[in-house]
Amino acid sequence: TATTAPGMTGDGQSVVYVYATPSDENAPILRVVPGQSVVLIGRTADSQWVQIWLPGNQQGWIRASAVQVEIDLDVLPVVEP
């Protein structure tokens, strides 16, 4: 698991965005609350993005810099989007 770190939106509210693919060029599919625990299930080859498990047996991607992790990301499997 990891804990989401706050990001800031233009209106000053803290938010962490989850995307369907490891790219923030698409619209986010979900927002998570900073401090919320998430389950890490994979990463991109460059470890810039981590894949997370979402309720409802869904998966999403979040920037690795948006989470505080207590493990080395290299232990996560590399997942091709």
Side-chain angles (χ1 to χ4, degrees), residues 2 6-8 12 14-16 18 20 25 31-33 39 43 45-46 53 60 62-65 70 73 75 78 80:
M8 298 299 287
S14 295
V15 66
V16 176
V18 180
E25 293 180 9
R31 291 189 220 186
V32 291
V33 178
V39 178
R43 64 180 173 91
D46 62 6
W53 177 84
I62 194 167
R63 284 198 167 276
S65 59
E70 298 178 4
L73 290 179
V75 303
V78 173
E80 294 297 323

Side-chain angles (χ1 to χ4, degrees), residues 10-57:
D11 59 8
Q13 294 181 336
S14 295
V15 66
V16 176
Y17 291 109
V18 180
Y19 298 88
T21 62
S23 170
D24 50 16
E25 293 180 9
N26 298 314
I29 58 170
L30 184 69
R31 291 189 220 186
V32 291
V33 178
Q36 178 179 345
S37 291
V38 294
V39 178
L40 305 178
I41 56 174
R43 64 180 173 91
T44 54
D46 62 6
S47 296
Q48 295 295 307
W49 290 84
V50 289
Q51 190 177 38
I52 63 171
W53 177 84
L54 301 168
N57 205 25

Side-chain angles (χ1 to χ4, degrees), residues 1-3 40 67-73 75:
T1 63
T3 305
L40 305 178
V67 293
Q68 299 171 344
V69 295
E70 298 178 4
I71 62 167
D72 184 351
L73 290 179
V75 303

